[in-house]
């Protein structure tokens, strides 16, 4: 198959890593916030500066009116001359007197700029004040923007039309605000650079477990799941790493168990298949007795294989958590029911030395299956015609919790210490002194049922003194317990 076909078509794959996208999003939002804050501050300060200029220009007009009224002069030229002479321009400011559309008086000495040099400005204020109103405005000329006020001047019967104007160099007045805004832009840009560097380092450190997870996932195969991801710190990403490692442990255990089960099944099925095939190949078709013997042997081996498959299915079922059907059950009645069913297995002496008078939330069918399996094990491996005790009791653990114990005890030859260590493993058969029949899955099924109930199964035995198999299951606090009864039932 071509490599290109391994990639699903039509699926968009991002060109940028998560690290880059996260950092880009942070920088964009931060830049937008800084730009909004800086622009807002600049506009507010600019408006305040313009308001201050307008207020100063209005004060200049009021001063000019006072001077005109105080001068006592009767001509427009005389009044404007006095006003221009007495009103001294401030920093970045200039004044001008216009008579009949032409510049007439300008301040002496050095001023920031000369309004009389801008013919367009003279024409503009003459036209704007022709209606007799004071005008505030902004004009651009000779490469300079000015904020100005123009006031018309008339005196008595003098037919001349005069205009007094004062103006500020707008760029010079706004320069402190503009310089501050430019400084802010520089600091903001430097801040974004530093934020980007710090964000790159921090995001790289935080996302390192995710990169390690991706790399580990790429290396993990069904044949090798030993790869684990190193965890750093105690943050959410590190906890995710620990969770994934735990998941890998469970998957590894599950795959290992499945592989081992398949190996064991293959080993166990190979023997009966070989036996049946060998006898069929050697069978004398002309000898009815040989055919009958071979047929009986083949059926026996097939029955054993069928039992093996049935036990494997049961083992797989009890390993599924959903397989338990939990419901309140009378343990004393359950114990007696199991004893009665087990009595049909053989002519052993079946007794119940103790019965726990308690109602517990368990899967009664699964516990019955486990106890009957232990009973069948006692029949197969115990002493012929001996006594088998099936009992139950409630005990207190060291931590104060209640534990339900269900046991099957025989008086057979016992189990060696070495065999006890492996007796609950799948396909383990042939414990010393206890025969070699069965599929080897019975005790594994019992252990799985106990584990599904949150408990365990234990064995205690000594050579020549029988064996006791005990299901140890925790009891929830809501279990209802009554006084135990002790009896021996024949």
């Amino acid at each position: 198959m071509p490599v290109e076909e391994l990639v699903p078509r039509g699926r968009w794959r991002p060109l940028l890593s998560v690290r880059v996208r996260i950092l880009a999003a942070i920088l964009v939002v931060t830049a937008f916030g800084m730009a909004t804050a800086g622009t807002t501050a600049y506009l507010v300060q600019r408006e305040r500066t313009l308001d201050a200029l307008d207020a100063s220009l209005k004060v200049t007009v009021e001063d000019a009116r006072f001077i005109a009224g105080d001068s006592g002069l009767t001509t427009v030229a005389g009044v404007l001359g006095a006003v221009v002479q007495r009103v001294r321009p401030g920093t970045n400011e200039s004044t001008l007197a216009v008579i009949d559309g032409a510049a007439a008086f300008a301040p002496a000495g050095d001023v920031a700029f000369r309004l009389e040099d801008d013919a367009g400005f003279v024409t503009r204020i003459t036209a704007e004040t022709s209606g007799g109103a004071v005008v505030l405005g902004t004009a651009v000329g000779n490469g300079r923007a000015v904020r100005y006020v123009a006031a018309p001047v008339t005196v008595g019967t003098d037919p001349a039309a005069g205009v007094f104007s004062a103006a500020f160099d707008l760029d010079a007045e706004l320069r402190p605000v503009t310089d501050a805004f430019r400084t802010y832009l520089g600091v903001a840009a430097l801040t974004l650079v530093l934020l980007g560097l710090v964000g790159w380092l921090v995001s790289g450190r935080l996302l390192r477990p995710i990169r390690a997870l991706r790399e580990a996932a790429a290396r993990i195969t069904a044949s090798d799941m030993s790869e684990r991801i190193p965890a750093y710190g105690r943050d959410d990403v590190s906890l995710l790493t620990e969770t994934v490692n735990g998941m890998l442990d469970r998957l590894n255990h599950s795959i290992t168990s499945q592989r081992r089960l398949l190996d064991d099944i293959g080993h166990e099925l190979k023997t009966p298949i070989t036996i049946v095939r060998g006898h069929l190949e050697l069978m004398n078709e002309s000898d009815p007795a040989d055919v009958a013997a071979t047929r009986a042997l083949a059926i026996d081996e097939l029955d054993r294989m069928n039992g093996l498959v049935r036990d494997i299915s049961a083992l797989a079922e009890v390993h599924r958590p959903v397989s338990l059907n939990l419901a309140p059950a009378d343990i004393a009645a359950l114990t007696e029911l199991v004893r009665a069913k087990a009595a049909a297995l053989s002519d052993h002496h079946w007794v119940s030395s103790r019965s726990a008078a308690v109602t517990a939330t368990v899967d009664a069918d699964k516990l019955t299956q486990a106890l009957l399996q232990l009973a069948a094990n006692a029949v197969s491996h115990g002493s012929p015609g001996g006594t088998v005790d099936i009992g139950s009791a409630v005990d207190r653990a060291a931590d104060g919790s209640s534990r339900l114990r269900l046991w099957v005890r025989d008086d057979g030859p016992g189990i060696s210490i070495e065999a006890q260590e492996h007796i609950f493993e799948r396909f383990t058969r042939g414990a010393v002194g206890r025969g070699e029949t069965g599929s080897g899955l019975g005790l594994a099924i019992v252990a799985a049922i106990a584990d599904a109930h949150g408990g365990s199964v234990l064995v205690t035995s000594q050579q020549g003194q029988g064996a006791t198999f005990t299901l140890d299951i925790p009891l929830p606090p809501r279990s209802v317990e009554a006084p135990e009864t002790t009896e021996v039932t024949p």
Side-chain angles (χ1 to χ4, degrees):
M1 178 181 294
V3 177
E4 291 79 0
E5 296 183 9
L6 296 178
V7 181
R9 296 181 179 179
R11 180 177 296 178
W12 178 83
R13 300 187 68 180
L15 299 178
L16 300 178
S17 65
V18 174
R19 183 182 187 183
V20 172
R21 283 183 284 165
I22 291 176
L23 187 58
I26 293 175
L27 291 178
V28 167
V29 173
T30 304
F32 177 78
M34 287 183 171
T36 301
T39 302
T40 301
Y42 170 75
L43 293 177
V44 170
Q45 291 299 322
R46 187 178 188 277
E47 287 300 317
R48 288 179 179 176
T49 301
L50 293 178
D51 291 342
L53 293 179
D54 290 346
S56 180
L57 291 173
K58 291 176 181 179
V59 170
T60 301
V61 170
E62 293 300 324
D63 290 343
R65 286 176 178 173
F66 177 79
I67 293 171
D70 188 59
S71 66
L73 299 174
T74 59
T75 63
V76 171
V79 170
L80 287 176
V83 170
V84 171
Q85 182 180 9
R86 294 176 61 180
V87 176
R88 302 303 302 172
T91 305
N92 301 325
E93 186 181 12
S94 184
T95 58
L96 177 65
V98 177
I99 300 177
D100 293 335
F105 301 101
D110 294 332
V111 290
F113 57 96
R114 293 284 178 177
L115 292 174
E116 64 270 19
D117 294 338
D118 189 352
F121 178 76
V122 174
T123 302
R124 177 173 179 163
I125 62 175
T126 300
E128 288 177 344
T129 58
S130 61
V134 177
V135 177
L136 274 170
T138 302
V140 179
N142 292 337
R144 178 182 288 107
V146 296
R147 185 69 174 172
Y148 68 90
V149 64
V153 177
T154 57
V155 178
T157 59
D158 189 346
V163 178
F164 173 75
S165 178
F168 283 97
D169 185 341
L170 192 57
D171 293 335
E173 289 294 321
L174 292 177
R175 186 169 293 115
V177 178
T178 304
D179 290 343
F181 183 64
R182 288 175 180 170
T183 302
Y184 171 80
L185 290 179
V187 173
L190 180 60
T191 301
L192 287 177
V193 172
L194 293 177
L195 179 62
L197 293 176
V198 174
W200 181 263
L201 295 176
V202 173
S203 62
R205 180 177 179 83
L206 293 178
L207 294 176
R208 181 169 55 181
I210 295 181
R211 292 197 303 273
L213 172 61
R214 176 178 57 82
E215 295 169 356
R219 291 192 296 268
I220 290 175
T221 63
S223 59
D224 182 12
M225 296 192 65
S226 60
E227 184 77 25
R228 293 298 180 268
I229 308 165
Y232 305 95
R234 299 297 301 174
D235 53 21
D236 293 339
V237 178
S238 300
L239 294 178
L240 171 63
T241 301
E242 295 178 0
T243 302
V244 172
N245 284 337
M247 178 191 70
L248 292 175
D249 289 338
R250 293 190 296 273
L251 287 176
N252 189 32
H253 176 72
S254 177
I255 292 177
T256 302
S257 298
Q258 292 179 7
R259 185 181 296 115
R260 179 185 172 190
L261 178 61
L262 291 175
D263 292 342
D264 290 342
I265 291 174
H267 175 74
E268 293 295 321
L269 292 180
K270 181 171 65 176
T271 300
I273 291 175
T274 302
I275 293 174
V276 172
R277 179 183 178 86
H279 281 77
L280 288 176
E281 290 176 346
L282 299 176
M283 180 183 67
N284 185 359
E285 299 178 1
S286 60
D287 186 356
D290 191 18
V291 171
T294 302
R295 175 180 177 275
L297 183 144
I299 291 176
D300 182 67
E301 289 299 312
L302 290 175
D303 287 341
R304 190 161 68 87
M305 291 171 62
N306 182 60
L308 176 63
V309 172
R310 183 178 60 252
D311 289 344
I312 292 173
S313 299
L315 182 61
E317 180 182 357
V318 296
H319 271 299
R320 290 194 293 266
V322 293
S323 65
L324 289 183
N325 183 20
L326 299 177
D330 186 339
I331 300 303
L334 175 65
T335 304
E336 175 57 26
L337 178 63
V338 172
R339 189 202 65 80
K341 289 182 177 181
L345 295 177
S346 67
D347 57 354
H348 283 70
H349 185 51
W350 298 92
V351 300
S352 292
S353 58
R354 296 176 64 185
S355 295
V358 63
T359 299
T361 302
V362 295
D363 188 331
D365 291 339
K366 288 292 189 294
L367 290 183
T368 299
Q369 177 186 357
L371 291 174
L372 287 177
Q373 179 62 55
L374 294 176
N377 189 70
V379 170
S380 299
H381 305 303
S383 59
T387 299
V388 180
D389 177 21
I390 300 177
S392 59
V394 175
D395 296 330
R396 294 288 180 183
D399 59 0
S401 61
S402 297
R403 311 288 298 188
L404 172 63
R405 294 190 302 110
L406 302 155
W407 65 82
V408 174
R409 181 183 298 116
D410 64 57
D411 54 2
I415 308 171
S416 65
I417 299 299
E418 295 78 8
Q420 292 180 31
E421 297 177 357
H422 308 285
I423 197 169
F424 295 106
E425 297 177 1
R426 287 190 298 262
F427 300 106
T428 298
R429 295 193 306 247
V432 177
R434 293 182 64 88
E436 299 184 1
T437 62
S439 66
L441 289 175
L443 294 182
I445 294 174
V446 174
I449 292 175
D451 182 70
H453 282 82
S456 60
V457 59
L458 308 172
V459 58
T460 55
S461 176
Q462 292 183 4
Q463 290 284 3
Q465 299 183 15
T468 301
F469 290 85
T470 304
L471 294 173
D472 185 4
I473 299 173
L475 276 181
R478 61 179 179 274
S479 300
V480 180
E481 184 176 358
E484 290 189 1
T485 59
T486 302
E487 59 178 289
V488 178
T489 305

